[in-house]
Amino acid sequence: MGYYLDLSDPDIAHLASLQKHEQNWRQRDIVRESGAPADLLYVVKSGWCYSYTIMVDGRRQVLQIHHPGDVIGIPDVAYERAVTGLQAATDICLCPFPKNRLDEIFRDSPRLTALLMTLGMMDHVVLLDRIRTIGRMNADERVAHFLLEIVSRLRITSPDITDTFDLPLSQELIGDALGLTNVYVSRTMSLMERAGLIQRMDRAIRICDERALKDMADFQDRYYRIDTSWFPGGAAPALEPNA
């Protein structure tokens, strides 16, 4: 959150209090099933996990990938039961906290409240982009958009990331996020590699031609900039993204 806003000492104390308790899950562990009581939110301390839903015939749709620094569960605040399941993609450490703890932030920190709401809206826009991607793009464009979305998000909390990042997700999981089979994901990545767009190195991905991928997928970085000028107390808007 400090990437988007200069946090005051009370804001930092509020956020630290939400991370006092830690729980660890192993890869593939189900943290929470869809329909479970939505009384907890989670801060991701380490590892990757994902939100998903299961169709009546058993097929899985991956809706969102969660990375360190993410707050999971903001959309579920509106409901008594969780709308999606939550599963570990790698070994993870989460900091769960009851959603009634948000009352303290809403009462004491209007700026932090505005930021939490804005981050929730950001997730909504990212999901809209995913719907557009799945509904109207071919396999190459979907995979390109997905890789750019991942690296853009990782750069927020890991500014040392340039063109290479770890991608600890199976091709099956990526396919379930994009509406593709794992075979199609593998074939598409191979074609992109031969075209000089990406390079695969074990679990790592190197973006070799980011501009070409952005043009291919009509990609807009939703993470780099948010409008904080309307926040209580005022805040300077973020810098324009690099070309």
Side-chain angles (χ1 to χ4, degrees), residues 143-216:
V143 173
H145 197 284
F146 181 81
L147 294 178
L148 291 169
E149 178 188 320
I150 293 291
V151 72
S152 297
R153 168 58 186 84
L154 293 176
R155 285 169 177 163
I156 299 302
T157 49
S158 301
D160 56 320
I161 290 178
T162 54
D163 60 2
T164 303
F165 61 98
D166 189 42
L167 185 66
L169 305 177
S170 68
Q171 291 176 349
E172 179 185 9
L173 196 153
I174 295 172
D176 285 349
L178 299 177
L180 300 171
T181 66
N182 61 329
V183 173
Y184 225 116
V185 171
S186 177
R187 182 185 307 162
T188 300
M189 284 191 168
S190 295
L191 291 173
M192 294 171 71
E193 194 165 18
R194 291 194 205 110
L197 297 173
I198 65 171
Q199 180 182 0
R200 291 182 290 180
M201 303 166 288
D202 295 327
R203 293 198 322 175
I205 295 287
R206 177 171 174 255
I207 304 294
C208 301
D209 193 339
E210 188 163 347
R211 173 49 60 192
L213 289 175
K214 286 182 175 180
D215 291 342
M216 175 192 299

Side-chain angles (χ1 to χ4, degrees), residues 18-187:
L18 301 181
Q19 302 178 66
K20 290 191 299 184
H21 304 291
E22 299 179 1
Q23 292 185 14
N24 297 296
W25 282 269
R26 303 289 293 176
Q27 183 182 22
R28 299 188 181 88
D29 281 353
I30 294 178
V31 178
R32 182 196 64 199
E33 294 185 340
S34 175
D39 50 3
L40 292 176
L41 285 81
Y42 303 87
V43 178
V44 184
K45 184 170 184 179
S46 65
W48 292 32
C49 53
Y50 58 93
S51 297
Y52 68 94
T53 187
I54 300 295
M55 310 295 187
V56 292
D57 61 0
R59 289 177 297 168
R60 177 181 64 177
Q61 177 66 53
V62 172
L63 300 170
Q64 190 173 7
I65 310 295
H66 305 289
H67 313 277
D70 284 354
V71 179
I72 303 172
I74 293 178
D76 290 321
V77 168
Y79 303 100
E80 295 180 350
R81 298 282 174 178
V83 177
T84 62
L86 181 63
Q87 188 164 4
T90 67
D91 292 350
I92 57 172
C93 178
L94 303 181
C95 301
F97 64 92
K99 68 180 180 182
N100 58 21
R101 290 289 308 279
L102 293 174
D103 175 65
E104 300 171 20
I105 294 176
F106 295 165
R107 183 184 64 242
D108 299 336
S109 180
R111 294 174 77 242
L112 197 54
T113 299
L115 180 57
L116 283 170
M117 186 184 78
T118 300
L119 294 179
M121 295 303 98
M122 179 194 296
D123 287 343
H124 174 72
V125 172
V126 170
L127 187 56
L128 291 180
D129 283 344
R130 181 76 56 78
I131 293 172
R132 180 175 67 95
T133 299
I134 294 174
R136 286 292 180 262
M137 292 186 180
N138 61 34
D140 292 355
E141 294 163 341
R142 294 186 205 183
V143 173
H145 197 284
F146 181 81
L147 294 178
L148 291 169
E149 178 188 320
I150 293 291
V151 72
S152 297
R153 168 58 186 84
L154 293 176
R155 285 169 177 163
I156 299 302
T157 49
S158 301
D160 56 320
I161 290 178
T162 54
D163 60 2
T164 303
F165 61 98
D166 189 42
L167 185 66
L169 305 177
S170 68
Q171 291 176 349
E172 179 185 9
L173 196 153
I174 295 172
D176 285 349
L178 299 177
L180 300 171
T181 66
N182 61 329
V183 173
Y184 225 116
V185 171
S186 177
R187 182 185 307 162

